[in-house]
Amino acid sequence: MPLIGYARVSTEDQTPLPQSEALQSAGCAEIFEEHASGGNRARPVLARVLERIGKGDTLVVVRIDRLARSLSHLLEVIERLEGKGAFFRSLQDPIDTASPQGKFTLQVLGAAAEFERALIRERTKAGLASARSKGRVGGNPGLRAKDPEALRKVRLARQDGYMERLNETAQDWVPHVRRLRPDMAWEDVLRIINGPLPHDRHWTQGRLLRAVKAYVRDGFLPAEVLGRAGRRETDDRLPAIVAAIKGADPEITLQAICDRLESMRERTPRGRTSWQPSSVRMLLERAEKLGLL
């Protein structure tokens, strides 16, 4: 069971060496180091690690805060690992999702996070009700007066809030967009992104384009990803999709690719809805000949 280590420090002045040494002592065959803020979910090295990890692998960190600064982000990463059949371990915290005790700890953390959200909602409702009973009118006085400075601040706050929400999901779509655009049409990129995601987290094309444009505007993605996709021969479309799935997870099995294609509702070259590993193997061979792998 391969152990893959992840070490993070916040600034260039800090060194991840102590973390890397601890991870090496724990038996990690590969160790990835990153200089980035823990509050930033769109970390390129972390995204690469999560793409690299395959079934049976274990992501190892020295402490939980090296991976995530919020409980919601931690649970999101662990959910993604579980979706790939991988595990998570923290050396200095009682979490090892490969063990019953670690899974129990994770369930407790999830319940605590939901309880905290419920308390915040109740406190907010109580505060609003108390304010209304005292005759207070909610809202920003500057907005009611249509003050330009107040309007500008609200626009900036909304933009910051939107970017923060995008950062929480960046690992789901940014690596695919960076790798597949503009060589692949948006419709196919969207299907590949949505393939491993639960239905309630699926993207629409309009929402994805808005997110990509925001990342391009702020310099997180190159402007080339918004370029017009080149015309692709019909016979080359399926090999390109299969190559994209394989490129995101080089260790993925033929059967897993079959499952992914079926979840994308992609039909076989003969128009069938059920995929066989032999069909995927044939498409991978064609993708290799086309230089897509």
Side-chain angles (χ1 to χ4, degrees):
M1 186 180 295
L3 303 180
I4 298 175
Y6 174 74
R8 181 192 63 80
V9 291
S10 298
T11 67
E12 294 292 339
D13 296 334
Q14 297 173 312
T15 174
L17 183 59
Q19 295 178 53
S20 297
E21 290 176 343
L23 293 169
Q24 187 174 10
S25 299
C28 292
E30 293 182 79
I31 298 174
F32 294 81
E33 298 179 350
E34 183 161 41
H35 290 77
S37 168
N40 179 16
R41 299 193 181 189
R43 291 175 241 153
V45 175
L46 178 59
R48 190 163 68 249
V49 172
L50 294 177
E51 282 188 32
R52 159 72 179 81
I53 284 181
K55 185 176 182 180
D57 293 346
T58 299
L59 176 63
V60 184
V61 297
V62 174
R63 296 191 312 275
I64 290 176
D65 66 349
R66 297 302 87 196
L67 176 67
R69 284 289 183 86
S70 67
L71 183 54
S72 63
H73 187 205
L74 174 65
L75 295 175
E76 180 183 315
V77 171
I78 294 177
E79 180 182 356
R80 182 170 179 182
L81 291 173
E82 289 182 337
K84 301 181 72 171
F87 306 99
F88 171 72
R89 181 189 304 170
S90 173
L91 299 181
Q92 297 183 13
D93 302 290
I95 295 184
D96 182 350
T97 60
S99 69
Q101 296 87 348
K103 289 182 179 178
F104 175 74
T105 301
L106 191 60
Q107 290 172 353
V108 172
L109 288 174
E114 180 57 35
F115 180 64
E116 182 182 14
R117 287 192 291 268
L119 286 178
I120 291 173
R121 286 194 297 268
E122 290 303 317
R123 284 197 295 266
T124 301
K125 290 179 182 178
L128 291 173
S130 175
R132 283 193 296 268
S133 68
K134 295 177 182 178
R136 297 176 185 169
V137 179
N140 187 317
L143 291 182
R144 291 199 297 271
K146 296 184 178 181
D147 178 64
E149 181 61 22
L151 292 172
R152 187 184 71 84
K153 288 181 179 179
V154 168
R155 282 196 301 270
L156 291 175
R158 286 177 177 171
Q159 181 176 320
D160 289 344
Y162 175 63
M163 293 302 294
E164 184 176 344
R165 292 193 299 274
L166 284 185
N167 290 341
E168 293 177 355
T169 62
Q171 60 192 17
D172 292 337
W173 56 276
V174 169
H176 293 295
V177 170
R178 192 187 302 275
R179 189 178 67 256
L180 302 178
R181 288 289 305 165
D183 297 326
M184 185 175 287
W186 283 112
E187 294 86 351
D188 293 327
V189 173
L190 184 68
R191 291 155 76 89
I192 291 170
I193 290 172
N194 284 337
L197 298 178
H199 190 267
D200 60 349
R201 287 171 55 191
H202 277 195
W203 292 76
T204 63
Q205 186 168 325
R207 181 169 161 244
L208 178 62
L209 280 171
R210 183 187 173 202
V212 171
K213 289 176 181 177
Y215 262 46
V216 169
R217 181 195 63 220
D218 286 2
F220 295 128
L221 282 171
E224 289 76 15
V225 299
L226 292 172
R228 188 180 183 86
R231 186 180 297 274
R232 186 181 293 280
E233 297 293 333
T234 304
D235 291 343
D236 293 348
R237 180 177 170 276
L238 282 175
I241 291 176
V242 172
I245 296 173
K246 181 73 171 176
D249 183 4
E251 304 300 322
I252 193 170
T253 64
L254 295 177
Q255 185 58 55
I257 295 178
C258 290
D259 297 340
R260 182 75 60 82
L261 291 169
E262 290 175 6
S263 71
M264 293 166 59
R265 298 183 179 178
E266 196 69 54
R267 291 185 175 270
T268 69
R270 295 189 178 185
R272 297 173 181 169
T273 57
S274 179
W275 282 82
Q276 298 297 324
S278 58
S279 299
V280 172
R281 185 184 297 109
M282 177 189 68
L283 291 173
L284 286 173
E285 291 172 354
R286 178 165 176 75
E288 191 168 1
K289 290 179 181 178
L290 292 171
L292 301 174
L293 286 174

